[in-house]
């Protein structure tokens, strides 16, 4: 194809696609996805008026006129509960939006004035943003698609870490003695599956992240269905070939068949319908929460995220992939809830996030995908203050705890690298959970939502 013609065609396609962007908001349970989406809609809806979006040039220059919600493409999927979320935030006292129990979708149309006015360019242009929300627990299942039953069993951290092992102790005591060649006993499978699910629930409660299968934690319409009656086998002393040659009524073959069914009938459709076609991505990580929770859970989060990032297609878009196989060509990684630490610590939070995601970041660099790391608070719950301590000014945070107590705290220093043994020994980091700051009818107050929005969609608003 001749060069000028090719460029022209590419521009045309780019302009066509530009009007629509699918943004993946990725994060494990409680990472802050719903808060991010609620704030995103709120900021963009207030963009033309009182939202504080100075780091987003289109808003700063007064070209971003606002956003409205459109009917989403898939009428079978519930709408993202923006209004209930805002109602909770505007309540007295303000409350956080509810944890997510199922999938919901959202289509936003942004109106803006293009930066450069030519005789062919329109006065007003539109960008449609497709977003969706889901329970973080279900996201944990995406890495399961890369496995067969044998490799899945081996990939589960069943014996690693004292705290984790203790949470699964009842299940492990029986599962460790199972003979994969024995005939499957339905009653035993049902009770062991329930014990495994109970272990996962306890581990989630204790702050662990790397928990599969995710539907065991939040079954939705699958509650009680036999497809959820399986678990990994902790002791596999035989070769894969020998195990796979076992008769279909053996324990191994029965569990493997249920695993396959779960993978193909539950996880694959979820992936196919919602996770395949994205243009941009923001990965939200509750780094500070993990720091608060201790070394074992911190390491567990790092592993869960590394596995997860293999589930997405990254790479520069070519003419063909733009049309037929969209890839994520730009992403942001964000440490959420940055208002849990004083502003002087924000730089360290970003460095720590980069250290936590070191492995996936290497792969992304190799694929030449631009990545920006930042810390943000989608919905602020604290204000930065200064206090006099021993005659010196020190930074502090003022907020209201979930129990309604007004407090002034210094949560501690954030290490700029993966925490050392000494850091964990000193237990140097602690903070309470805060109530969100009330919003009234104004835009929600945030930290660096504008920087995140600019990185993710700013280039489409020129
Ligand atoms: N201080 C502060 N807390 C936040 C912020 N965003 C979220 N949180 C807290 O984190 C909790 C979880 O946030 P959600 O947005 O519900 O998390 P999620 O990723 O949607 O979680 P699931 O729906 O369970 O997957 C909230 O209930 C708040 O307590 C923030 O910007 N600042
Ligand atoms: Mg949610």
């Amino acid at each position: 194809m001749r060069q000028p013609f090719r460029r022209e065609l590419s521009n045309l396609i780019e302009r066509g696609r530009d009007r629509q962007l699918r943004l993946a908001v990725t994060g494990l349970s409680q990472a802050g996805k719903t808060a991010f989406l609620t704030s995103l809609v709120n900021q963009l809806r207030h963009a033309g008026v009182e939202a504080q979006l100075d780091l987003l040039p289109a808003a700063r220059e007064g070209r971003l006129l606002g956003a409205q919600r459109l009917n989403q493409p898939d009428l079978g999927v519930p709408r993202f509960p923006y209004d209930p979320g805002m109602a909770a935030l505007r309540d007295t006292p303000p409350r956080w939006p509810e944890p997510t129990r199922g999938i919901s979708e959202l289509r936003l149309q942004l109106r803006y004035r293009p930066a450069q006015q030519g005789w062919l360019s329109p006065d007003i242009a539109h960008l449609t943003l497709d977003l969706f929300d889901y329970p973080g627990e279900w996201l944990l299942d995406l890495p399961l698609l890369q496995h067969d039953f044998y490799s899945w069993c081996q990939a589960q951290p069943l014996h690693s870490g004292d705290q984790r092992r203790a949470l699964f102790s009842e299940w492990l005591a029986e599962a460790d003695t199972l003979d994969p060649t024995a005939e499957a006993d339905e009653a035993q499978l049902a009770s062991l599956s329930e014990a495994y699910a109970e272990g996962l629930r306890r581990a989630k409660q204790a702050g662990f992240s790397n928990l599969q299968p995710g539907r065991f934690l939040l079954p939705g319409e699958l509650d009680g269905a036999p497809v959820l009656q399986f678990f990994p086998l902790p002791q596999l002393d035989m070769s894969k070939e020998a195990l796979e040659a076992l008769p279909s009524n053996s324990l191994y073959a029965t569990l493997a068949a249920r695993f396959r069914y779960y993978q193909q009938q539950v996880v694959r459709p979820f992936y196919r319908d919602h996770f395949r076609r994205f243009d941009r991505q923001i990965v939200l990580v509750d780094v500070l929460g993990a720091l608060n929770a201790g070394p074992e859970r911190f390491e567990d989060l790092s592993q869960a995220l590394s596995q997860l990032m293999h589930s997405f297609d990254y790479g520069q878009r070519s003419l063909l992939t733009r049309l037929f196989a969209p890839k994520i060509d730009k992403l942001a990684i964000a440490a959420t809830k940055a208002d849990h630490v004083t502003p002087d610590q924000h730089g360290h939070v970003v460095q720590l996030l980069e250290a936590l995601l070191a492995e996936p970041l290497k792969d992304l660099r190799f694929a030449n995908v631009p990545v920006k790391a930042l810390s943000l608070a989608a919905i602020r719950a604290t204000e930065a203050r200064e206090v006099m301590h021993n005659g010196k000014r020190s930074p502090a945070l003022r907020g209201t705890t979930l129990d309604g107590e007004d407090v002034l705290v210094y949560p501690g220093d954030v290490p700029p690298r993966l925490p050392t043994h000494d850091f964990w020994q000193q237990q140097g980091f602690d903070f309470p959970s805060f109530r969100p700051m009330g919003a009234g009818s104004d835009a929600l107050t945030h930290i660096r939502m504008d920087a995140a929005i600019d990185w993710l969609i700013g280039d489409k608003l020129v």
Side-chain angles (χ1 to χ4, degrees):
M1 225 188 296
R2 285 200 1 253
Q3 214 39 37
F5 175 68
R6 206 171 137 175
R7 200 173 313 126
E8 197 45 39
L9 184 61
S10 170
N11 284 346
L12 261 177
I13 290 168
E14 180 62 28
R15 237 176 277 148
R17 272 200 59 80
D18 262 354
R19 302 212 182 99
Q20 206 161 338
L21 205 63
R22 279 184 60 99
L23 174 64
V25 177
T26 309
L28 300 180
S29 168
Q30 297 293 290
K33 299 178 295 298
T34 302
F36 179 86
L37 282 166
T38 306
S39 181
L40 179 74
V41 179
N42 183 267
Q43 307 303 337
L44 292 173
R45 278 170 69 81
H46 286 80
V49 236
E50 73 276 19
Q52 289 181 352
L53 299 171
D54 293 344
L55 300 176
L56 178 64
R60 193 177 58 228
E61 293 157 10
R63 295 189 293 102
L64 184 56
L65 305 174
Q68 67 184 80
R69 284 171 288 170
L70 296 184
N71 282 337
Q72 68 217 37
D74 189 344
L75 299 180
V77 176
R79 208 175 205 210
F80 174 70
Y82 173 71
D83 294 323
M86 284 308 299
L89 290 162
R90 287 179 175 149
D91 209 353
T92 324
R95 289 175 292 113
W96 291 102
E98 293 291 317
T100 310
R101 302 255 142 226
I103 294 169
S104 63
E105 282 188 348
L106 171 71
R107 175 169 273 191
L108 267 188
Q109 190 184 57
L110 279 63
R111 267 166 72 81
Y112 66 99
R113 267 197 305 271
Q116 286 163 2
Q117 295 286 332
W119 61 277
L120 263 183
S121 55
D123 291 343
I124 303 287
H126 297 98
L127 172 70
T128 305
L129 209 53
D130 278 320
L131 302 148
F132 94 108
D133 198 16
Y134 51 89
E137 287 88 345
W138 295 3
L139 191 71
L140 291 164
D141 277 342
L142 297 190
L144 191 143
L145 287 174
Q146 297 150 16
H147 288 290
D148 56 21
F149 182 60
Y150 184 82
S151 66
W152 182 67
C153 291
Q154 291 187 319
Q156 299 313 296
L158 299 174
H159 289 108
S160 67
D162 293 344
Q163 291 175 11
R164 192 179 171 114
R165 217 174 25 246
L167 296 163
F168 283 89
S169 59
E170 282 151 40
W171 173 78
L172 267 175
E174 198 174 342
D176 263 341
T177 64
L178 288 175
D179 173 7
T181 65
E183 195 176 320
D185 170 351
E186 277 303 329
Q188 186 190 34
L189 283 188
S191 86
L192 272 173
S193 302
E194 180 42 38
Y196 188 65
E198 179 57 27
L200 290 174
R201 285 192 287 268
R202 275 196 227 145
K204 166 142 198 266
Q205 202 65 36
F208 283 90
S209 310
N210 199 2
L211 305 169
Q212 291 173 12
R215 300 273 170 152
F216 282 36
L217 291 164
L218 199 64
E221 78 279 12
L222 294 177
D223 204 4
V227 56
L228 298 190
Q229 286 181 357
F230 69 96
F231 46 82
L233 281 171
Q235 303 285 358
L236 289 177
D237 300 330
M238 294 163 65
S239 72
K240 185 174 179 202
E241 292 69 35
L243 285 163
E244 286 177 354
L246 290 168
S248 62
N249 62 353
S250 66
L251 175 68
Y252 182 88
T254 308
L255 289 173
R258 289 187 189 172
F259 170 84
R260 258 194 315 277
Y261 187 90
Y262 181 78
Q263 187 187 46
Q264 297 305 321
Q265 305 299 324
V266 179
V267 186
R268 195 167 292 286
F270 177 57
Y271 179 71
R272 189 189 54 220
D273 297 346
H274 301 286
F275 279 96
R276 239 174 16 142
R277 301 168 71 84
F278 286 118
D279 307 296
R280 300 277 160 93
Q281 181 180 37
I282 181 161
V283 180
L284 303 175
V285 186
D286 183 7
V287 184
L288 297 170
L291 207 54
N292 224 9
E296 221 180 291
R297 278 157 278 191
F298 197 82
E299 174 57 29
D300 188 72
L301 173 67
S302 172
Q303 282 181 12
L305 288 169
S306 297
Q307 284 183 29
L308 188 65
M309 305 266 297
H310 287 296
S311 304
F312 296 91
D313 289 326
Y314 299 104
Q316 289 301 321
R317 290 188 287 160
S318 65
L319 191 58
L320 277 180
T321 57
R322 229 174 278 176
L323 279 176
F324 301 113
K327 288 183 175 193
I328 294 169
D329 65 354
K330 199 175 185 190
L331 85 156
I333 54 171
T336 51
K337 315 180 194 180
D339 59 327
H340 275 154
V341 287
T342 49
D344 57 308
Q345 298 297 314
H346 287 178
H348 282 187
V349 175
V350 176
Q351 283 173 284
L352 184 61
L353 173 73
E354 287 176 313
L356 188 77
L357 292 176
E359 281 306 312
L361 283 176
K362 265 188 220 141
D363 295 342
L364 290 164
R365 215 161 287 139
F366 188 74
N368 197 21
V369 178
V371 185
K372 183 185 176 80
L374 74 164
S375 65
L376 59 80
I379 301 168
R380 273 185 98 124
T382 69
E383 284 172 324
R385 290 285 163 90
E386 280 194 330
V387 290
M388 291 303 282
H389 186 59
N390 293 340
K392 267 181 40 190
R393 282 180 188 281
S394 302
L397 294 177
R398 213 197 77 83
T400 307
T401 64
L402 292 179
D403 305 328
E405 190 191 345
D406 287 331
V407 291
L408 192 63
V409 290
Y410 182 72
D413 292 347
V414 176
R417 290 164 223 97
L418 293 182
T420 58
H421 182 67
D422 285 351
F423 175 86
W424 297 117
Q425 288 302 96
Q426 289 158 11
Q427 284 294 324
F429 193 76
D430 195 16
F431 60 81
S433 291
F434 296 102
R435 254 183 209 165
M437 274 168 34
S441 58
D442 299 339
L444 295 166
T445 47
H446 64 89
I447 300 174
R448 281 184 289 278
M449 275 300 284
D450 44 357
I453 299 172
D454 182 39
W455 178 256
L456 293 167
I457 62 169
D459 58 328
K460 304 291 179 190
L461 298 173
V462 290

